[in-house]
Amino acid sequence: MGDLTATTGPGASTTEDMTENRLGPSFHSDQVDDAGQRELLVGILDSQAALPGVRRLRQWTLDALAVQPGDSALDIGSGTGSEVLALARLTGPDGDAVGVDPNPGMLTVARERAAAAGITARFVAGNAYALPFDDASFDVVRCERVYQHLDHPDRASAEIARVLRPGGRAVVVDSDWSTTIIHPGDPEVVAAMTATSLSRAIHPHSGRMLRGWLTAAGLAVDQVAADAVVWEPEGIRAMMPIGAEKAVATGAITEAQRDRLLADLEAGMTAGDYHFSVTMFAVLARKPQ
């Protein structure tokens, strides 16, 4: 799922409002009912899914979960459904691949894509704090870039532990926004904009906290992986103005500084001298027998 707003990370406006707290109780299901907004969100999610760092970490997740034919698998915050379809390919016709998301628009997109791919999968409305499943329902659970937007990640971790079967495996993936690197640009302006984004996020350091949340929920952590997700110009051009505008609105930077930063970034991308990255972490845990 991505990075500068709720699926993409801290610091956005309209897109952030559509996705912020995607699985928390403050989510408003009508935020992406508009077809144009939904199309924008889907485009962002698809572009993020194509980033090499995201692809690598998602492949690591599938390998670490060791999904077997016949398994029951759950993706919390399933979005467009891409990872549910990946799970369904591994669980096979005798298994069960399920995506849960509170956003009815995303559920519709996911169901349509599953049908188009000829893959059987289930997509249900649900909340990370109260998953609509019985205890010990799943062999594997994955959750990507959701915790950073939750008021109570500990409750979400407890729910993962509850729905996992004894011996079941879970991977939780999230970003740590203090690892953000932006080049080019005045370092002081970049730092001020980044600080504004961090101050507005609920849990901007989720990546480093995943191990503790899962351990506190009674799960045993087996492995931790990380990847620096490097953005391409398309994503930078789409999201950086949003973060810069928020920094102006809070008084962290001036309009002139905003304009210079965006111009510097554009010049850098045109010349091939640019960099935008954030580190994502993935934690594999299991439920004791």
Side-chain angles (χ1 to χ4, degrees), residues 100-168:
V100 60
D101 201 288
N103 185 323
M106 290 298 98
L107 292 172
T108 297
V109 170
R111 289 167 183 147
E112 290 174 348
R113 291 189 173 186
I119 295 176
T120 299
R122 294 192 291 136
F123 296 93
V124 300
N127 188 295
Y129 300 148
L131 295 172
F133 309 107
D134 294 335
D135 295 355
S137 294
F138 295 96
D139 298 294
V140 297
V141 175
R142 75 178 302 279
C143 180
E144 181 184 325
R145 280 173 291 175
V146 170
Y147 274 43
Q148 62 184 286
H149 312 293
L150 297 180
D151 297 300
H152 304 287
D154 54 330
R155 289 168 54 189
S157 298
E159 277 294 275
I160 289 176
R162 181 185 68 78
V163 301
L164 270 179
R165 292 171 180 155

Side-chain angles (χ1 to χ4, degrees), residues 46-62:
D46 286 345
S47 67
Q48 291 169 357
L51 294 173
V54 172
R55 294 203 308 267
R56 287 191 297 267
L57 212 49
R58 286 182 169 182
Q59 186 57 55
W60 183 90
T61 297
L62 292 177

